[in-house]
Amino acid sequence: MWSKLPHIVLKYRLILIISLLLFTAFMGYMARDVKMAFNFNTAVPDTDVNYQYFQEFKQKFGEDGNVLVIGTKDSALYELENFNRYKKLNEDISNLPGITNVISLATLQNIVKDSETRSFGLEPLIKDYPKTQEELDSLLAKALDLKFYSGQLLNPENGATLTLINMEREVLNSKERNNVIDQLRVIGAEFSEESGIELHYSGMPFVRTVMQQMTSVELKLFIALSIGITALILFLFFRSWTAVVVPLVVIGFVVTWVLGTLGILNYQINVLTGIIPSIIIVIGIPNAVYLLNKFHQEFAKHGNKIKALSRMIRKIGMVTLITNFTTAIGFLVLVTTDIKLLKEFGLVAGINILATFIVSMVLIPGIFAYLPAPKKEQLKHLEFPIVTKFLTLLDLLVHRHRYRVFAVTAIIITVAVIGLTKLYSVAYMVDDIPEHSQLKKDLYFFEDNFAGVMPLEIIIDFGEPKSTLNARNLRKVERLEAALEPLENVSQPISIVTFAKAVRQAFYNGNSRFYGLPSPSDRNVILSYLANQQDNANFLSSFVDSTGQTMRVSLKVADLGSVKMDSLITNVIEPEIDKVFGDEVETAVTGSTLLFVKGNKFLIENLKQTLLLAFAIIAVIMGILFANVRMILISLIPNFIPLIMTAGIMGYFGIPLKPSTALIFSIAFGISVDDSIHFLAKYRQELFNKNFFVPIAISNSIKETGSSMLYTSIILFFGFIIFVFSNFGGTVALGLLTSLTLFFAMLTNLTLLPALLMVFDSGKRNKNFHPLIEHYEFYIEDEDEEIDTQGLSIKANDPFLGSTDK
């Protein structure tokens, strides 16, 4: 069947091209509704107990990551004019659509006792704009007496203060969030311009919005850069605009298919799926390089364009399919994980890498069949002096110094393994943001003044309805809070206990000396006041569930990184909880921060497993292709060593293993093994052509496939290096380290691979047994084609098609 493919592609090229155009139009239509991701993507699978706890928490108490914070530390804020501007700022923010509540020093709600109704109520501490500085100072003094807010809204040591802004859940997880954040920043900028007071912004909604906006910008930037760089390199190599435009047309089709795939599968564009178009551009271009190089090589031999296109399809078409498949495996193995983020990334990338083969095999021969035959100057790249000299040097190196190649390789592996032992794993919630960015500086502001803004929740289920207000239970929670309060990088806890203390202070007319849990003497009276609340459920709903059985203790923590955060939770917080409650009460630590820590572990572990799976699958493919255990090992070794080298570099330079950098290994391995397949396929062909004489077969393989390997490796190197322009450190590391890995793989495939063949392959083959690869790569020149040019409807002297004389 494969031998008929050239005839089918060339004879029915118009129908096939039109079919691809129609399908691409359909995919473009399906891509119209693809949206940016706004929701919180966790790497923890649905079956995990912590994930389930978190979902239960959100059902009872709502989102834990819906609070946006604005902070400032400037004594000028407490001057009358600036404070009134600050109060106006808070009012303007509260009027924005999607904002449910704004809490700050200017909008403090004071708990007050109503003796007539024997109940408690809330009223603003600062009802109107203060008229004098003395009035403001008096109000601020009262605010300092409200212990409930101390450490939460105000740092009493240095005067730093917060504005806490709650967002509606529907707005939080939609594109409207961006509009709200943008309006909020405009309002904040106007306040800063008028007052001269700097504002700092953070909180999960703000961080997610900024990172999502950066992802959107970078998606467009990387597509433009990858197209520009690959176009430039193609032109420098081939010195022909057709050799630039046609591959880019192929890539344009496939990028449209990527977006259409996202639309069909109802996936959103996130930090991973957002880089797929750029990856497709970089990975897809090598297809064109191998095909065009073979086309030009064949045309240079006999000057028959159609015959050259036919041989191009027959001689490397199957190998191109195999290399695309092995590349796709590096992505498709991610589908085996339990992590939605990786599944979506792997599935979309893998499908469209395979689609790249189909589009390439139709468009490249189809379009070039309509174009004029290559001119002499367009074939000059076949004798590119620098490339020829370089490949000749490599050929001499392999033949004369192959044992030195082994020695140098052994030294490099030893050094790399030492670096590998220094490799460690860590990730941050606000990961990969540059240190000099305003987002990171603002985050440090909140960590320095308020212990951080990352949410962490402790859930306590007492097992009986209305048991959260039990005095014994409240004292236990107070003991827990007292143990947690001194912890570094952890904010003061806030819970029903804090509220109960504030209620007691309110019962005694705001006297701060009475800020504490109700005593036996006043407990019944205070509880009777609470029982008289007409909106009692709403009054307590932030702290306890509707049954009064389950309560939350809310903390804010610094972005310590996954390792320190895991240690804090596992070795400090959870032991303190166990010490207070033991096995008597069901407790759990949950929240976005905990899920992030667990998610990082899941990601790293899953990526390790997928890498091993990729190794296994590609080894099986090599076994099917070559039917020789020795050839499997010889083909895998040159591609495994670059991964060790990259891991060693990460260890020496302190680049941590995290989701973005762990992806490098399966992706790079799937791509780099392509060079081995191309080289070994040509080597097998040359063995038969040269009577199984290994040295000549290797020399011819280096000279013919070496240039394509060089071209594609240079394209891949510069194609991935564009990611260093990202604002995300993980994306920078992904691009830089993938580029280095592929560069190392090119060197090992052009030196170590042929050296291994020289030493360990005798060249002897059973002429009666042909492994799968030989069915597609080994040809007897005489049978290579008496292709029926009349059947292709090509006229011998058609000036548009060029000469077809044999």
Side-chain angles (χ1 to χ4, degrees), residues 755-766:
L756 288 169
L757 291 171
M758 287 285 292
V759 173
F760 296 104
D761 189 31
S762 65
K764 296 178 182 179
R765 299 291 186 273
N766 183 347

Side-chain angles (χ1 to χ4, degrees), residues 312-340:
M312 173 193 77
I313 297 170
R314 291 183 64 182
K315 288 195 172 185
I316 65 169
M318 184 62 178
V319 173
T320 303
L321 172 61
I322 294 168
T323 54
N324 275 45
F325 185 64
T326 56
T327 300
I329 284 172
F331 294 89
L332 288 173
V333 290
L334 299 175
V335 177
T336 63
T337 67
D338 293 326
I339 299 168
K340 182 182 177 183

